[in-house]
Amino acid sequence: VQLVESGGGLVQAGGSLRLSCVTSGFTFEDYAVAWFRRVLGKDLEGLSCLTIRDGGARYPDPVKGRVSTTSDKARKTVYLELKGLKPEDTAEYKCAAAKSCAERHWSWGQGTQVTVSS
């Protein structure tokens, strides 16, 4: 299982960003792909989980309404869109894959840094 994130960078507060997670090494439609982030000095935070086969997405309450996740099955890529960015969204963003959103063991990408300036 391989996942490669991209799309991070420096963004102004109030802006939007789309991150990409290109996957390989597994049957894309049989998996779920989730996005997480780690703010420096804080615990890992889950942002979304997408079941590829049916397109069902889940979001935790703290980010609901500000993030959305979609997939492109032809490209085996999962996207995370973030809007209304705030400086506190500055973090390393990582995607991960597992057989379902309920799994505890994920295969991880290397991460992409997002920095939001005020």
Side-chain angles (χ1 to χ4, degrees), residues 33-39 42-50 58-64 66-67 69 80 82 89 91-96 101 106 108:
V33 176
W35 283 93
F36 299 83
R37 69 182 177 188
R38 190 186 297 278
V39 175
K42 295 190 176 181
D43 291 336
L44 195 66
E45 178 186 13
L47 300 173
S48 67
C49 190
L50 179 69
R58 308 176 189 184
Y59 308 97
D61 287 342
V63 298
K64 225 175 246 185
R66 288 211 300 133
V67 301
T69 186
L80 181 76
L82 305 95
D89 292 317
E92 182 182 46
Y93 286 72
K94 304 185 80 165
C95 62
C101 291
W106 296 83
W108 295 90

